């Protein structure tokens, strides 16, 4: 019960200062709520099995092709992971590919397209667990 209250408190606190709020659903039955602020992101899996804190650093984001390096910490597993992302950005969309790993294991490779539209962003993607993902993000 304390864990659920902590998660709800964290989500409310972060969301009140958030620059982005998002919802992602995947064909494997998982779904996520996200909020971010200045490079930090809190991601909460809606079935309460995973919470993740992320800090993302973008290298040369002003270029059409840039590298995004997020460091994730999976709270329940006490496990950090890296997911370097190579992004190709155009005026109409961004296409990216990323590989999740840590020193002792390789995880999913993901490919997606982000399509901005005013203060919304849509994402459709696929990863090597044969999962298709859809995300809707509201920008403030």
């Amino acid at each position: 019960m304390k864990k659920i209250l902590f998660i709800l408190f964290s989500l409310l606190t972060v969301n009140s200062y958030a620059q982005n709020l998002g919802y992602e659903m995947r064909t494997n039955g998982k779904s996520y709520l996200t909020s971010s602020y200045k490079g930090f992101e809190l991601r909460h899996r809606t079935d309460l099995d995973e919470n993740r804190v992320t800090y993302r650093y973008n290298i040369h984001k002003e270029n059409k092709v840039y590298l995004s390096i997020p460091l994730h910490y999976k709270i329940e597993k006490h496990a950090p992971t890296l997911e370097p992302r190579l992004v190709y950005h155009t005026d109409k969309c961004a296409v990216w590919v990323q590989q999740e790993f840590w020193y002792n294991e390789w995880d999913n490779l993901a490919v997606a397209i982000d399509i901005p539209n005013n203060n919304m962003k849509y994402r459709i993607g696929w990863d090597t667990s044969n999962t298709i993902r859809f995300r809707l993000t509201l920008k403030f």
Side-chain angles (χ1 to χ4, degrees):
M1 183 65 176
K2 288 180 183 179
K3 186 176 182 179
I4 292 171
L5 290 174
F6 174 75
I7 292 167
L8 289 173
F9 175 75
S10 298
L11 284 172
L12 289 173
T13 302
V14 170
N15 289 342
S16 64
Y17 296 103
Q19 291 175 323
N20 295 311
L21 293 175
Y23 177 73
E24 181 172 315
M25 58 187 161
R26 299 183 181 183
T27 56
N28 63 0
K30 296 178 183 176
S31 61
Y32 301 89
L33 296 171
T34 61
S35 61
S36 63
Y37 179 75
K38 292 187 179 181
F40 289 95
E41 180 179 282
L42 177 62
R43 187 174 88 171
H44 169 70
R45 201 161 96 188
T46 56
D47 64 4
L48 302 177
D49 281 349
E50 180 184 297
N51 292 288
R52 181 184 283 191
V53 177
T54 301
Y55 176 72
R56 179 180 308 277
Y57 181 74
N58 296 315
I59 300 172
H60 297 296
K61 191 172 180 180
E62 68 278 1
N63 296 338
K64 280 193 177 264
V65 177
Y66 64 91
L67 183 63
S68 180
I69 303 177
L71 175 62
H72 300 297
Y73 184 73
K74 296 177 183 178
I75 296 169
E76 289 74 18
K77 295 180 180 178
H78 303 288
T81 61
L82 284 171
E83 287 186 21
R85 179 183 292 180
L86 187 61
V87 181
Y88 176 70
H89 185 75
T90 69
D91 293 336
K92 298 190 185 229
C93 70
V95 178
W96 54 262
V97 61
Q98 72 181 22
Q99 174 68 55
E100 182 178 5
F101 68 93
W102 194 238
Y103 71 94
N104 60 349
E105 69 177 311
W106 286 85
D107 228 340
N108 291 329
L109 174 88
V111 178
I113 298 173
D114 290 339
I115 304 167
N117 183 11
N118 297 328
N119 62 345
M120 303 282 283
K121 182 170 69 172
Y122 307 96
R123 172 178 295 163
I124 185 166
W126 172 87
D127 68 42
T128 53
S129 68
N130 290 325
T131 299
I132 296 173
R133 56 181 75 189
F134 305 95
R135 180 184 272 193
L136 176 64
T137 303
L138 179 62
K139 298 183 233 176
F140 299 107

